[in-house]
Amino acid sequence: MNITFVFFIGLFFAMIGVIPPGLLNMTAAKISLKEGHVRGIVFSAGVCVIVFAQTYLASIFARYLSMHPEVIGILRAVALVLFILITIYFLFIAKSEPKQQIEPKIKSKHSRFFQGMLLSAINVFPIPYQAYMTITLASYGWMTFEKTSIMAYVIGAVTGTFVTLYMYIFFFDKIKGKTFTSQKNMNRIIGGITGVISIVTIINMIQDL
């Protein structure tokens, strides 16, 4: 397995998970605007340390599940329901709600690195997300659960997370009045992504019957 390819698919799927506006990327952007780019980067570095641990744990969990097909079936069924509900929410419900500005409460101007670690640790979504993605990628033969392949994927995921946070830090002030003012467009993007994942999951489940 080409570890460079595994690295880039890890980077790609991590970016998909971090691109939608959320606590981590919006906090990084706010810190950058208020205190400078350096502090925003330090915060992002703290986030990436936890992302490394979360993605690695998710990969190990996925390797365990790969040896228990009956568990994978249950996981896929649960994941399918969740992704369908998320798709319905973002495509048909969320677009009718008023946009809410995320204003993180930044109390301390010190230890941005540890603040990034703390907020990232609170966000446990990457663990089930990455576990599901690694299982799916492995089922297509795009990666394996060997140590080199796992590490390539994990490093790619960390890089993708940092690159996305970096873009928020340096370009948020320029694009916030354009792309991010349209919450409807962002909802459609998120709903479209989860919709595609739902379709892929259904196809996989049908093929396994």
Side-chain angles (χ1 to χ4, degrees):
M1 178 60 61
N2 190 327
I3 61 174
T4 302
F5 176 73
V6 175
F7 169 84
F8 279 108
I9 58 176
L11 183 148
F12 174 75
F13 284 111
M15 291 185 70
I16 288 179
V18 184
I19 282 178
L23 178 62
L24 297 179
N25 45 36
M26 295 299 287
T27 300
K30 296 298 183 180
I31 291 176
S32 176
L33 290 175
K34 293 181 179 181
E35 303 177 24
H37 296 330
V38 174
R39 287 191 179 275
I41 292 175
V42 171
F43 171 85
S44 301
V47 170
C48 288
V49 170
I50 300 301
V51 169
F52 180 94
Q54 289 176 330
T55 308
Y56 182 77
L57 288 174
S59 300
I60 298 301
F61 180 58
R63 183 172 63 183
Y64 167 79
L65 292 177
S66 68
M67 297 182 290
H68 298 78
E70 69 283 357
V71 180
I72 293 180
I74 297 174
L75 179 65
R76 282 182 176 176
V78 173
L80 175 60
V81 173
L82 291 176
F83 282 126
I84 290 176
L85 291 176
I86 293 173
T87 301
I88 294 174
Y89 173 77
F90 279 105
L91 291 181
F92 303 105
I93 300 176
K95 65 180 182 181
S96 63
E97 296 179 355
K99 178 182 177 183
Q100 296 181 350
Q101 295 290 339
I102 300 176
E103 296 289 343
K105 296 180 180 180
I106 302 176
K107 299 180 180 180
S108 173
K109 293 186 178 181
H110 307 288
S111 302
R112 290 301 184 195
F113 180 84
F114 295 104
Q115 182 186 16
M117 291 181 63
L118 176 62
L119 293 184
S120 185
I122 294 174
N123 177 34
V124 296
F125 174 75
I127 296 178
Y129 172 75
Q130 292 293 3
Y132 176 77
M133 294 311 305
T134 50
I135 289 176
T136 302
L137 293 171
S139 68
Y140 280 102
W142 290 355
M143 69 172 288
T144 66
F145 290 115
E146 297 177 355
K147 291 183 178 180
T148 53
S149 183
I150 290 177
M151 289 307 300
Y153 184 87
V154 171
I155 294 173
V158 172
T159 304
T161 300
F162 185 81
V163 168
T164 306
L165 293 176
Y166 185 90
M167 290 190 296
Y168 267 86
I169 289 170
F170 283 91
F171 302 111
F172 177 76
D173 193 39
K174 296 179 181 179
I175 65 177
K176 67 178 181 179
K178 300 177 182 179
T179 305
F180 290 101
T181 53
S182 179
Q183 188 64 40
K184 181 183 292 185
N185 290 337
M186 183 56 62
N187 290 338
R188 286 175 178 173
I189 292 174
I190 300 173
I193 293 172
T194 55
V196 170
I197 295 176
S198 299
I199 293 173
V200 172
T201 303
I202 293 174
I203 293 174
N204 287 337
M205 294 176 68
I206 294 175
Q207 290 176 343
D208 291 339
L209 293 177

